[in-house]
Amino acid sequence: MTDLESFAARLKTLTDGRASTPRVKDGVMTLALDVGGLSAERRDAVAAAIREGGLSVPGVQDVRIAMTAERKAPRIIAVASGKGGVGKSTLSANLAVALRRLGFAVGLVDADIYGPSQARLMASEEKKPQAREKQLIPVDSPFGVPMLSMAHLVEPGKALAWRGPMAGNALSQLIDADWGEVELLVVDMPPGTGDVQLSMVQKHKPVGAVIVSTPQDLALIDATRAVSLFEQTQVPLIGLVENMAGYSCPHCGEISDPFGSGGAEAAGSAMGMAFLGRIPLAIDIRRRSDAGDPPASGDDASGKAFLAIAEKVAAWLRD
């Protein structure tokens, strides 16, 4: 392997595959670097590292980098469950906020067309999206995560009496919005494994799915159905999260254990799935969620629980 070939191999890792194959002519190395979705600090740091590495190649006297901002469709992470009421929306909102804190350019889609809740969870209920060239423009949230939900488009409390095709088309409008520099979309899926879910998965092809379940047996049976949906559609499973798990109060020592603990972890192990973490059944999470203050935006025990899950998802994305 030549020195240039060796540098080209290192360049792929250094830039996460964003750089073209380097060329050298008359002592000048040239290459293109896709900087779409990168912050200015990250862009400059990567460019500086490329220049330093390029100048170490024998015979190279100058390194010229053509920076491009080719807009790519965001990668999609589907957060799903086989039934409602297991905290999937809370997990989706906090996962998006935590991934944002880890440095990802993240957007959030509330795909639960009939029961949207992300506007409340993310304190954006009063906002309405604009449109540009037939594309919706996501609304901002206070947590640096742009988002879209049917709650931003319909009157509060109004029931949507839509059949499957109408709901599927509405969901596509949310996902195909003008997401700008967003590189990763967390999609809060509708509960269940019906037509809307299947259409979304087949059309938009998530890079991976996170399954949410509570510890009790009935919820785990439904979670297994969600797992089966993604396996049949060949969507990789990132892992399983156990929500509303029993815990011991750090202040008074009182044990809260209405749903049990450990059931989802055991079920995931039996299915060969990674276990991403456990979220406790804590009144603080419920209160802050109702107030539009995702715990993942802070550094207390609840916030750290969500952040630990996000770190495992981030590691999966980088593998």
Side-chain angles (χ1 to χ4, degrees):
M1 182 180 291
T2 66
D3 292 319
L4 182 59
E5 290 172 338
S6 178
F7 174 70
R10 288 188 286 118
L11 192 63
K12 184 177 180 180
T13 301
L14 178 66
T15 65
D16 291 329
R18 290 174 172 267
S20 66
T21 302
R23 308 293 182 190
V24 177
K25 183 177 180 180
D26 299 329
V28 178
M29 176 183 289
T30 57
L31 56 90
L33 176 66
D34 174 18
V35 296
L38 297 182
S39 66
E41 292 80 7
R42 176 62 177 160
R43 177 197 65 205
D44 293 343
V46 171
I50 292 173
R51 288 192 178 92
E52 181 180 358
L55 290 172
S56 70
V57 176
V60 174
Q61 301 169 356
D62 189 16
V63 177
R64 297 177 184 174
I65 304 170
M67 295 189 184
T68 66
E70 179 182 354
R71 185 170 294 177
K72 299 178 181 178
R75 293 184 293 172
I76 294 174
I77 294 177
V79 180
S81 63
K83 63 180 294 182
V86 299
K88 170 182 53 60
S89 294
T90 300
L91 190 280
S92 298
N94 283 277
L95 178 61
V97 171
L99 286 169
R100 172 70 176 81
R101 295 185 66 186
L102 292 175
F104 288 87
V106 185
L108 176 63
V109 170
D110 189 351
D112 194 345
I113 301 297
Y114 301 111
S117 56
Q118 290 297 345
R120 168 65 63 87
L121 292 167
M122 297 289 284
S124 64
E125 287 180 290
E126 304 303 320
K127 298 190 175 183
K128 300 295 181 184
Q130 303 298 311
R132 181 191 301 123
E133 296 180 358
K134 298 183 180 181
Q135 275 188 305
L136 291 172
I137 301 173
V139 304
D140 294 326
S141 73
F143 312 101
V145 177
M147 60 179 297
L148 281 172
S149 167
M150 285 306 297
H152 296 130
L153 298 170
V154 300
E155 297 176 16
K158 182 179 180 180
L160 292 179
W162 289 354
R163 297 189 184 277
M166 291 180 67
N169 289 337
L171 175 54
S172 289
Q173 282 192 304
L174 300 182
I175 294 177
D176 292 333
D178 183 356
W179 288 100
E181 301 302 323
V182 165
E183 62 178 340
L184 188 66
L185 271 185
V186 175
V187 177
D188 177 12
M189 295 283 289
T193 56
D195 180 64
V196 174
Q197 295 87 339
L198 181 60
S199 297
M200 179 272 172
V201 170
Q202 290 178 329
K203 180 177 180 180
H204 299 286
K205 299 178 175 58
V207 297
V210 173
I211 308 298
V212 185
S213 178
T214 49
Q216 72 269 40
D217 291 344
L218 284 176
L220 291 167
I221 291 171
D222 291 314
T224 301
R225 295 190 182 100
V227 169
S228 177
L229 171 69
F230 290 109
E231 288 179 338
Q232 290 178 46
T233 52
Q234 299 182 325
V235 173
L237 292 162
I238 301 174
L240 185 67
V241 173
E242 183 174 277
N243 195 30
M244 305 184 193
Y247 79 110
S248 176
C249 176
H251 304 295
C252 65
E254 182 179 350
I255 296 177
S256 171
D257 196 23
F259 297 141
S261 180
E265 183 174 8
S269 177
M271 291 185 285
M273 287 181 63
F275 182 66
L276 299 178
R278 183 175 289 111
I279 303 299
L281 181 63
I283 189 65
D284 174 65
I285 295 177
R286 196 271 292 172
R287 286 173 177 163
R288 292 182 64 180
S289 297
D290 285 347
D293 180 22
S297 63
D299 294 315
D300 60 6
S302 297
K304 289 178 180 178
F306 288 110
L307 185 62
I309 291 170
E311 287 172 341
K312 291 183 179 180
V313 172
W316 186 92
L317 288 167
R318 290 171 177 142
D319 283 346

